[in-house]
Amino acid sequence: MLRRPLQFVMSLCALVPALGHAIAQENASDVLAGHSYHGEAFNEGPRQAAYLMDGMGNVQFPASTENQLAQQFINQGVAQLHGFWYYEAERSFRQAAVLDPDCAIAYWGMAMANIENRKRARGLIEKAVERIDSCSPREQLYIKAYEQFCLEKDDRGEDIGKKDRAQRFTRDLEKIVEDFPQDIEAKAFLAVQLWMNERADLPIVSHVAVDSLIQDVFDSNPMHPAHHYRIHLWDRHKPERALKSAAECGPSLPGVAHMWHMPGHIYDKLHRYHDAVWQQEASARVDHAHMMRDRVMPDQIHNFAHNNEWLIRNLVKIGRVNDALDLAKNMLELPRHPQYNTLEKGSTKYGRERLQLVLKSYRLWPELIEFSESIYLQPTDKQELQIERQRDLGVAYALTDQVAQSDEIAQALSSELESIDKQLNDLTQQSEADAATQKSSENATEDEQKAAANRKRREKKRKEQKKSLEDLQKQLQESLQAVQVAVAAAKGNWDEALKGWEDSNLDDNLLKAEWMLADGRIEDSLKLLDQEIEDRPGQLLPLAVKAHVVYQSSGADAAQPVLEEARVLASQADLNTPLLARLQPLAKELGMAEDWKAAYVPASDIGQRPDLNNLGPFRWHPYLAPDFSVENTQGSQLHLKNLSGKPSLVIFYLGFGCLHCVEQLHAFSPRAEQFRASGIDLLAISTEDLESLNTGLASYSKPLDIPLHADPELTAFKSFRCFDDFEGQPLHGTFLIDPDGHVLWQDISYEPFMDVDFALEESHRLLKLAGYGELLNEPKPQKFVGKVERE
């Protein structure tokens, strides 16, 4: 069971002034409210205290400190470095520095946690160098090695190239191994650096030699998290060489989600998709546990969205259609944020793409239409995504015998294409007109030179516009062709459909093979299917489609070997999915049970896997807001329970002395009535005392339409984690709290959240998804929640 982090953090906060306040006093007057006293590099870094987590493995990294708790945080930080959990690693090392400000290796650890941000790492390693005389010769080698790694220029003042930097760092790590052969952490860091050197154009000379170095680590500590590094070493070379580490990677550092994710790479490469799915679900569950425990929004976690989108891809490969649909929907339901979760990045982007993948792969055309009429695949102002949506709808309508709707979409795509063609023609005419006015640069006047420069700038901009329009033109042409091809197929014009296929952006060769069968081209169909099976080993769908095609063309006996092979891959599949359900007559004719899939047999080399439920919940859920007590401008108390029954958007701001906070209040205040009219209360909590709050209010001629509250002791700020534990200062925060007290969305930062339109729109979306549409005077959105079970 995990330790209770918030209570542990509270006990550490009393220690923070040892470092944070001491540094704070030096620069406090020059720093903007909410910004780090250590410089801008720390604004985005961890601001809350670390705690000793369970599941951090067995890593020992002796440091020169008398503080045993600091040593524990250093061990934890090194373990997190091995798991590439850099954000939490920096937090652990910062906590060690709070406990022992003179511990040089704590600053080295912070720098190591910024290995991909050398500018920031350089400032941190300088602090370690300042304290280098207080640490052991071994620690000094680590610090000097990383100091050299962070240098931008050599002794001659010339830039250090990435290859030279990597070679020097490798040699310096090797020296630690040579001088301290019992230091297995040095061997682990050397091993991963030898792998990372490929990014610096230094390919691995001998994978076997690096593997031998990693094995030295395991000889001393069999469950060292260097299993992570062995997976990376063999992932793209000989993945089967990392199977033992694939089984032991997660258990070696079970509290780090990435350590459960990485074995999925090996299993995926070996086409063992059932095992890859288990690993990716384990990773998601560990992430969910961390998010809910430490109040983190899902897409703030590095690799979370990527892990889940890959999980969906692998669920598709083994036929777990309903789970794939459910997870894709869940990704689209997660809280969005302009910085890390939008249609261009994060769970929203991946969720939309993977939902479309599931629906199209299993030809769930009625469901695709239904999803397109819901919040999941709704229209968007992103033109490329909207064209894609129109194409998919056009195909879906055609293949569900709704040709009239397909024709409407084809007409819309055609109109858009005409518009693009016209814009391209206009740009061409503008370029020709500019070229006609161009004069020789020889003996040009100053005005003529300026005109020529302006023409050049205009032409550069037109070329950029032209490239963008040409991409849209190509997408529209191919999408229009896809809809027309589908209409031809719907009318039984198979030859026409197949001839037009190549000019479309349809890419489902399994569908194409079935159209070939319908056109009487059985040999071509089977040839294409055999190629798909060869290209997609271990995947259920190619075999399932081939079984259907052979059954239709040659009968049950001929199809039996194909179905037997498919049965093994279908061990966890949803057989009621239409593409699989149609194989039921074949299975019955062959004397198989109605549930014709084979029993799942776990592989013998996966080790002892924990119960997935013990790793974390299957889905992320919003946490309960902490209780608080603040005073309004009349001195009356406000508690969390006073907010129950209505959704609220709560703004934590740093007083009227913070210019950015005043800007935030003045951005939200004119929209307060709009929030209230839609059923959402708006309130703000200040760091000021009641007198200062009222004085600040009186100084503004235009009243704020937001109820203000005082929290001079920062109790509410700390409860909501709008507080820098390391530096002892409040932070900006914005929270959406539902009527039952759950935090559906949050933003905690060194700067206030300013996007009012986004806050209102996202509040509506999340509250409707959570079932509070009636409170917003809007109907609950239509949601497809049923399993795919159609005959």
Side-chain angles (χ1 to χ4, degrees):
M1 182 171 176
L2 288 162
R3 300 169 195 180
R4 292 183 290 181
L6 293 180
Q7 289 88 333
F8 187 80
V9 168
M10 295 290 285
S11 67
L12 287 173
C13 285
L15 300 171
V16 170
L19 176 67
H21 288 175
I23 298 174
Q25 297 308 311
E26 296 179 18
N27 306 313
S29 61
D30 301 323
V31 176
L32 294 172
H35 289 234
S36 172
Y37 300 125
H38 303 292
E40 291 300 307
F42 281 81
N43 287 334
E44 303 270 358
R47 309 296 290 268
Q48 286 81 35
Y51 62 94
L52 293 174
M53 298 178 171
D54 281 349
M56 289 299 108
N58 177 21
V59 171
Q60 304 298 321
F61 194 93
S64 298
T65 179
E66 298 294 324
N67 190 303
Q68 290 304 304
L69 190 54
Q71 179 63 67
Q72 288 179 268
F73 277 110
I74 288 167
N75 292 341
Q76 175 168 284
V78 172
Q80 290 163 336
L81 288 177
H82 288 318
F84 291 177
W85 204 10
Y86 293 127
Y87 195 82
E88 290 304 319
E90 181 178 340
R91 192 194 309 276
S92 293
F93 287 118
R94 288 197 74 181
Q95 196 66 54
V98 166
L99 295 162
D100 185 352
D102 295 324
C103 180
I105 211 68
Y107 299 91
W108 163 85
M110 293 182 222
M112 284 284 287
N114 286 274
I115 195 164
E116 296 181 355
N117 185 352
R118 272 201 320 278
K119 179 180 178 181
R120 187 167 179 225
R122 193 158 54 246
L124 292 164
I125 199 66
E126 286 171 0
K127 293 182 179 294
V129 173
E130 291 171 5
R131 296 161 173 81
I132 198 167
D133 292 339
S134 65
C135 58
S136 69
R138 170 183 149 276
E139 292 169 276
Q140 289 180 6
L141 288 177
Y142 275 104
I143 292 169
K144 289 176 181 177
Y146 206 65
E147 179 190 23
Q148 291 296 316
F149 178 82
C150 291
L151 291 178
E152 293 296 327
K153 303 206 178 272
D154 61 20
D155 295 337
R156 296 168 296 177
E158 296 181 0
D159 290 340
I160 299 175
K162 62 180 181 179
K163 183 178 291 188
D164 289 338
R165 175 178 288 105
Q167 286 176 325
R168 173 63 186 266
F169 192 42
T170 301
R171 289 194 299 268
D172 288 342
L173 288 171
E174 197 166 46
K175 178 172 174 52
I176 303 174
V177 173
E178 292 169 351
D179 290 1
F180 298 91
Q182 303 306 312
D183 186 351
I184 63 172
E185 302 310 318
K187 293 177 182 179
F189 283 126
L190 175 58
V192 73
Q193 183 57 39
L194 288 166
W195 168 73
M196 285 184 170
N197 282 349
E198 290 189 304
R199 303 177 186 180
D201 301 324
L202 291 169
I204 296 173
V205 176
S206 170
H207 285 74
V208 173
V210 179
D211 189 82
S212 179
L213 179 64
I214 295 173
Q215 187 58 48
D216 282 351
V217 176
F218 297 144
D219 288 343
S220 295
N221 180 359
M223 291 304 290
H224 190 281
H227 286 292
H228 177 196
Y229 301 154
R230 178 174 272 170
I231 289 173
H232 275 299
L233 175 67
W234 294 110
D235 181 17
R236 299 183 181 181
H237 188 57
K238 290 185 179 296
E240 63 274 12
R241 294 289 298 269
L243 276 170
K244 181 173 174 57
S245 284
E248 296 179 346
C249 185
S252 72
L253 204 58
V256 179
H258 189 63
M259 298 293 282
W260 295 101
H261 167 85
M262 281 308 302
H265 283 244
I266 298 301
Y267 295 128
D268 190 273
K269 291 289 194 307
L270 297 174
H271 316 300
R272 292 172 52 172
Y273 299 115
H274 291 82
D275 290 322
V277 161
W278 191 95
Q279 294 292 157
Q280 289 156 345
E281 181 177 335
S283 176
R285 285 175 178 269
V286 173
D287 263 338
H288 294 154
H290 164 59
M291 294 167 190
M292 294 164 67
R293 184 176 67 245
D294 294 342
R295 304 183 190 170
V296 178
M297 292 290 104
D299 279 270
Q300 288 182 281
I301 302 294
H302 170 69
N303 205 55
F304 172 73
H306 162 61
N307 177 79
N308 283 357
E309 67 84 13
W310 197 349
L311 172 53
I312 294 170
R313 283 186 280 142
N314 284 333
L315 288 168
V316 167
K317 292 171 184 175
I318 63 175
R320 286 175 56 181
V321 181
N322 288 312
D323 286 337
L325 282 174
D326 185 59
L327 181 53
K329 286 167 52 186
N330 179 255
M331 292 186 78
L332 285 163
E333 292 167 357
L334 293 174
R336 298 179 184 177
H337 194 284
Q339 289 184 336
Y340 49 76
N341 185 17
T342 67
L343 278 170
E344 286 82 33
K345 54 189 171 184
S347 290
T348 300
K349 172 184 183 295
Y350 283 130
R352 186 182 178 101
E353 291 174 355
R354 297 300 168 250
L355 180 57
Q356 292 168 320
L357 171 71
V358 182
L359 295 168
K360 291 188 291 185
S361 296
Y362 282 86
R363 305 181 207 162
L364 303 175
W365 307 123
E367 289 80 6
L368 189 149
I369 294 169
E370 186 172 2
F371 273 114
S372 297
E373 294 168 352
S374 74
I375 62 167
Y376 296 102
L377 293 177
Q378 62 191 10
T380 170
D381 58 0
K382 306 298 179 185
Q383 199 165 5
E384 296 88 346
L385 297 180
Q386 183 61 11
I387 294 170
E388 188 177 68
R389 176 181 177 276
Q390 289 174 291
R391 176 204 63 196
D392 291 347
L393 264 175
V395 171
Y397 279 130
L399 299 183
T400 52
D401 296 323
Q402 300 178 71
V403 174
Q405 287 91 329
S406 287
D407 288 340
E408 287 180 15
I409 289 176
Q411 183 58 49
L413 290 170
S414 182
S415 297
E416 290 179 62
L417 185 57
E418 289 177 8
S419 174
I420 296 294
D421 290 342
K422 183 179 184 305
Q423 292 176 62
L424 282 168
N425 185 58
D426 289 345
L427 288 173
T428 300
Q429 291 180 357
Q430 291 169 19
S431 294
E432 291 172 351
D434 258 357
T437 62
Q438 187 171 351
K439 297 181 179 180
S440 171
S441 58
E442 186 177 350
N443 301 321
T445 65
E446 184 177 346
D447 287 344
E448 289 171 339
Q449 290 175 350
K450 288 180 179 178
N454 288 333
R455 281 195 299 271
K456 188 175 182 180
R457 281 192 291 271
R458 287 195 298 270
E459 186 58 26
K460 180 181 179 181
K461 184 176 180 180
R462 279 194 290 266
K463 284 182 178 179
E464 293 171 353
Q465 292 174 321
K466 188 176 181 181
K467 175 64 171 64
S468 177
L469 288 170
E470 285 173 343
D471 290 343
L472 286 174
Q473 182 187 53
K474 183 174 185 293
Q475 185 187 7
L476 280 164
Q477 289 169 342
E478 293 176 345
S479 297
L480 176 59
Q481 181 71 10
V483 176
Q484 292 171 340
V485 161
V487 169
K491 294 178 179 179
N493 299 327
W494 302 110
D495 184 61
E496 179 186 341
L498 289 166
K499 283 180 179 177
W501 183 284
E502 299 307 320
D503 293 327
S504 76
N505 49 15
L506 294 173
D507 58 2
D508 184 354
N509 281 337
L510 302 181
L511 178 63
K512 185 179 181 181
E514 292 199 44
W515 289 4
M516 288 175 171
L517 173 67
D519 196 38
R521 295 164 52 183
I522 299 173
E523 186 176 338
D524 288 341
S525 174
L526 292 174
K527 183 178 179 181
L528 181 58
L529 288 170
D530 286 339
Q531 186 62 55
E532 285 294 296
I533 291 169
E534 181 181 340
D535 292 343
R536 297 160 64 178
Q539 297 187 34
L540 173 61
L541 263 182
L543 284 166
V545 172
K546 184 179 180 181
H548 171 73
V549 167
V550 174
Y551 180 46
Q552 295 295 314
S553 60
S554 304
D557 290 341
Q560 182 172 3
V562 187
L563 185 61
E564 290 288 354
E565 192 174 351
R567 288 182 68 218
V568 178
L569 299 181
S571 60
Q572 296 178 348
D574 297 316
L575 296 188
N576 287 327
T577 301
L579 283 189
L580 302 180
R582 66 183 182 174
L583 295 177
Q584 180 58 41
L586 168 60
K588 184 177 181 180
E589 192 170 336
L590 293 172
M592 297 180 185
E594 183 176 351
D595 183 4
W596 51 264
K597 60 189 178 185
Y600 174 67
V601 180
S604 60
D605 58 359
I606 59 175
Q608 286 292 112
R609 286 178 170 171
D611 185 329
L612 285 170
N613 290 319
N614 292 335
L615 295 178
F618 185 54
R619 290 285 180 267
W620 172 84
H621 301 287
Y623 66 88
L624 274 172
D627 196 9
F628 62 84
S629 176
V630 293
E631 286 185 299
N632 65 15
T633 52
Q634 287 77 43
S636 299
Q637 294 288 318
L638 176 74
H639 299 273
L640 177 65
K641 63 183 179 182
N642 299 130
L643 304 181
S644 63
K646 288 192 73 176
S648 302
L649 192 74
V650 182
I651 296 171
F652 287 82
Y653 72 103
L654 311 186
F656 284 109
C658 170
L659 179 59
H660 287 174
C661 295
V662 173
E663 291 174 350
Q664 182 190 32
L665 293 176
H666 280 281
F668 276 85
S669 180
R671 307 288 293 281
E673 180 55 37
Q674 192 175 352
F675 276 89
R676 288 193 294 269
S678 62
I680 302 171
D681 281 343
L682 205 59
L683 64 135
I685 300 174
S686 171
T687 56
E688 297 167 307
D689 59 28
L690 199 56
E691 182 180 354
S692 300
L693 185 65
N694 282 310
T695 301
L697 268 175
S699 66
Y700 287 91
S701 55
K702 187 176 181 180
L704 290 169
D705 195 16
I706 303 175
L708 303 184
H709 302 79
D711 183 29
E713 300 301 320
L714 305 180
T715 306
F717 275 81
K718 292 175 182 177
S719 294
F720 277 79
R721 305 194 81 189
C722 297
F723 191 79
D724 187 324
D725 296 325
F726 296 114
E727 302 181 24
Q729 64 159 322
L731 300 171
H732 306 273
T734 306
F735 298 81
L736 174 65
I737 304 176
D738 75 18
D740 293 318
H742 295 93
V743 175
L744 301 184
W745 184 90
Q746 69 183 37
D747 178 85
I748 302 173
S749 177
Y750 64 96
E751 290 184 329
F753 188 79
M754 299 294 293
D755 194 337
V756 184
D757 288 332
F758 176 89
L760 183 60
E761 182 180 344
E762 181 65 358
S763 294
H764 277 227
R765 189 184 75 89
L766 291 173
L767 287 164
K768 286 188 285 186
L769 279 169
Y772 299 109
E774 293 180 1
L775 295 177
L776 303 174
N777 299 316
E778 295 182 21
K780 189 174 179 179
Q782 181 180 9
K783 293 176 64 176
F784 180 83
V785 294
K787 293 184 178 180
V788 179
E789 295 183 359
R790 291 192 284 107
E791 295 300 329

